[in-house]
Amino acid sequence: MTTRPARGGQHPTMDQVAEAAGVSRATVSRVINGAPSVDAKIREMVQRAIAETGYVPNVAARSLVTRRSNSVALVISEPDRPDNNSFLNRIFTDPYFGRITAGATGALRPHDVHLVVIPTDSTDHHQVIRYLRQGHVDGVLLISSHEQDTLPRQVHELGIPAVVSARPTSPIAVSYVDVDQRLGARLAAERLLDRGCRRLATISGPLDIPSGLDRLEGFQAHLAGREVPAVEGDFTRAGGETAARRLLAEHPEIDGLFVANDLMAEGALRAVQDLGRRVPDDIAVVGFDDSSAALDCRPLLTTVRQPVEEMAAEMAEVLLAHIAAPGRLPRSVTFQPTLVVRESA
């Protein structure tokens, strides 16, 4: 049967669902709120009646019972930069953030949990903490990239379930998901050496970001005993181009270049080719991420793949487990990078 809205445009009620299913109003409430004690056949009857009547549960009323908002926050915390607009622009242009959002959303959707994206720097931390304290979300996926960031500890002290996107730089009892950054950089070095490159250099990420430092140190460690020119970049396309021009001006003998993310590698390739050098014949280039930027490069970019979508999905699953069972011990998950060979090296 199908129950039409009552006169006056009123929507179907829980009582109408109960009548359609042949159960009590209390049973309907228990099904809606996910009570495990309801018999499977009765649950199916109620769910069928909800579909037939077109009943939509009152989320606000339901949250009073479950004490859940069915939302989690994806907080993207970035270091303070002179040009704060560059951070906001990067959120919408850097493929990394889109991949994080897609991976987390895909894992949360089957649980009917929504994602709220909150970009912030230190000047806005108090607003983020106030928002979290007010109970708007059930947990936090925290993208924290710089070592001086105080937000991971603030969120931890707040007591809200949280998972961080990388190994915390200070000891905090919090779950995190990361990739073996140093191994990824070693894979890049091995690829360049296997190609016969002997005068290697690197464009690192920002060195106040653990992943930037880990990738630099991992690359240098595998080349111990060699002089490895390095220029610090900023994980942007323009920054990669600027750094590559500087490297080649100071070290024109370079024949192998590791760039710490694909966006910078795209800019570096442009600089290398503008300066009349052939890729990979004169200079082989390896990036890091295996993002869509790697496929925008010409030639196509050889890069170290970190499985960002899978990592974000794992973060979401770990967070859901913490929400379902508050007080469970922190968990750490480290993914393994792989090398994706294309035309640039």
Side-chain angles (χ1 to χ4, degrees):
M1 62 168 286
T2 300
T3 302
R4 300 178 181 277
R7 280 181 293 179
Q10 295 179 350
H11 295 290
T13 65
M14 192 181 293
D15 288 329
Q16 290 174 305
V17 174
E19 181 181 354
V23 299
S24 68
R25 190 178 190 277
T27 298
V28 174
S29 178
R30 287 198 296 274
V31 171
I32 290 172
N33 292 312
S37 59
V38 180
D39 180 81
K41 290 185 178 179
I42 294 177
R43 184 184 305 278
E44 184 180 349
M45 289 168 52
V46 172
Q47 290 172 339
R48 187 183 305 120
I50 288 173
E52 290 175 348
T53 60
Y55 174 72
V56 177
N58 185 311
V59 175
R62 181 180 176 185
S63 67
L64 291 175
V65 177
T66 63
R67 297 185 178 180
R68 300 272 176 81
S69 67
N70 283 347
S71 298
V72 301
L74 174 62
V75 178
I76 304 171
S77 180
E78 283 283 298
D80 299 327
R81 303 292 187 198
D83 179 8
N84 210 30
N85 287 331
S86 65
F87 161 48
L88 295 176
N89 290 338
R90 191 176 146 224
I91 289 178
F92 296 104
T93 58
D94 190 332
Y96 174 79
F97 295 114
R99 295 172 68 192
I100 284 280
T101 303
T105 301
L108 295 171
R109 185 181 294 120
H111 301 276
D112 197 25
V113 175
H114 304 285
L115 193 67
V116 180
V117 179
I118 306 175
T120 183
D121 60 19
S122 63
T123 59
D124 294 329
H125 283 181
H126 66 286
Q127 296 179 353
V128 174
I129 293 299
R130 183 171 66 240
Y131 179 84
L132 300 178
R133 186 181 286 119
Q134 290 172 346
H136 296 292
V137 295
D138 300 321
V140 180
L141 300 172
L142 179 56
I143 312 300
S144 174
S145 59
H146 55 294
E147 58 185 356
Q148 301 302 323
D149 192 1
T150 61
L151 196 55
R153 184 171 295 279
Q154 289 177 278
V155 171
H156 173 65
E157 292 173 350
L158 196 61
I160 187 171
V163 180
V164 183
S165 65
R167 182 187 73 254
T169 56
S170 59
I172 308 173
V174 64
S175 292
Y176 68 87
V177 175
D178 205 348
V179 68
D180 191 333
Q181 308 281 358
R182 289 172 177 256
L183 173 59
R186 191 182 82 193
L187 294 176
E190 289 175 346
R191 177 61 184 174
L192 292 170
L193 291 175
D194 288 346
R195 281 192 54 89
C197 300
R198 292 298 176 264
R199 295 174 296 279
L200 275 58
T202 182
I203 299 173
S204 76
L207 297 183
D208 62 350
I209 295 177
S211 61
L213 186 59
D214 284 348
R215 293 173 197 179
L216 173 62
E217 292 181 346
F219 187 71
Q220 291 175 328
H222 193 68
L223 300 171
R226 294 171 179 263
E227 180 186 357
V228 182
V231 171
E232 183 177 358
D234 61 1
F235 281 154
T236 69
R237 187 180 291 107
E241 182 173 357
T242 299
R245 291 183 184 278
R246 176 181 163 189
L247 265 178
L248 289 172
E250 297 175 357
H251 304 277
E253 74 281 1
I254 291 169
D255 63 359
L257 180 62
F258 168 50
V259 188
N261 81 335
D262 292 347
L263 267 185
M264 288 198 302
E266 186 178 358
L269 283 173
R270 181 183 304 162
V272 168
Q273 293 164 334
D274 283 351
L275 293 170
R277 309 289 288 276
R278 298 170 300 166
V279 179
D281 297 333
D282 298 326
I283 300 180
V285 179
V286 177
F288 199 111
D289 281 339
D290 193 30
S291 67
S292 59
L295 301 178
D296 291 336
C297 292
R298 293 297 178 270
L300 299 177
L301 185 66
T302 293
T303 186
V304 176
R305 181 177 190 272
Q306 58 170 336
V308 174
E309 291 84 357
E310 292 92 329
M311 292 165 65
E314 182 68 20
M315 287 179 65
E317 295 291 352
V318 172
L319 181 62
L320 290 173
H322 280 298
I323 292 171
R328 66 187 293 149
L329 293 175
R331 180 184 176 202
S332 63
V333 182
T334 302
F335 282 75
Q336 297 301 297
T338 55
L339 184 72
V340 180
V341 177
R342 297 193 179 96
E343 299 168 359
S344 70

